[in-house]
Amino acid sequence: MSDHEQVICPRCNSGFQCKAGSISLCQCTAVNLSVDESQYICDHYEECLCAGCMLEMKKEYNAKKLEERFNQISTLFKKKDY
């Protein structure tokens, strides 16, 4: 990949400039991801995503994790006999 390559986001099909050769200048650095959030995105896409889609995937991951936690907690309360 060259320093500045015009690519298409595989999630939304919008064009953006990938700056893998100057990663500190790339649009993806605007989205802070945890290791788990980054892995979630990598599990779904092999190519780079635009910053907007990265942010949406981050939100999706965190919503799923919150739902899982809620389900775990609600299951604990359902098991108790009051």
Side-chain angles (χ1 to χ4, degrees), residues 20-31:
S22 302
I23 197 70
S24 63
L25 302 175
C26 194
Q27 53 90 41
C28 66
T29 60
V31 182

Side-chain angles (χ1 to χ4, degrees):
M1 190 179 298
S2 65
D3 287 354
H4 299 84
E5 181 179 350
Q6 193 66 25
V7 295
I8 301 295
C9 177
R11 185 170 183 266
C12 71
N13 294 317
S14 67
F16 66 96
Q17 197 173 61
C18 180
K19 298 180 181 176
S22 302
I23 197 70
S24 63
L25 302 175
C26 194
Q27 53 90 41
C28 66
T29 60
V31 182
N32 292 321
L33 299 173
S34 69
V35 171
D36 291 336
E37 293 164 342
S38 182
Q39 185 60 52
Y40 179 76
I41 293 171
C42 289
D43 288 347
H44 290 84
Y45 296 96
E46 292 181 15
E47 299 87 17
C48 293
L49 299 180
C50 68
C53 284
M54 288 174 64
L55 185 57
E56 290 298 317
M57 292 290 293
K58 176 183 175 109
K59 289 177 185 177
E60 180 181 298
Y61 170 80
N62 286 302
K64 286 182 181 201
K65 293 307 282 183
L66 184 61
E67 183 178 358
E68 288 173 10
R69 288 183 189 133
F70 177 77
N71 289 336
Q72 288 173 343
I73 292 169
S74 63
T75 301
L76 292 175
F77 284 109
K78 288 178 186 177
K79 288 182 181 178
K80 291 186 177 189
D81 293 321
Y82 289 97

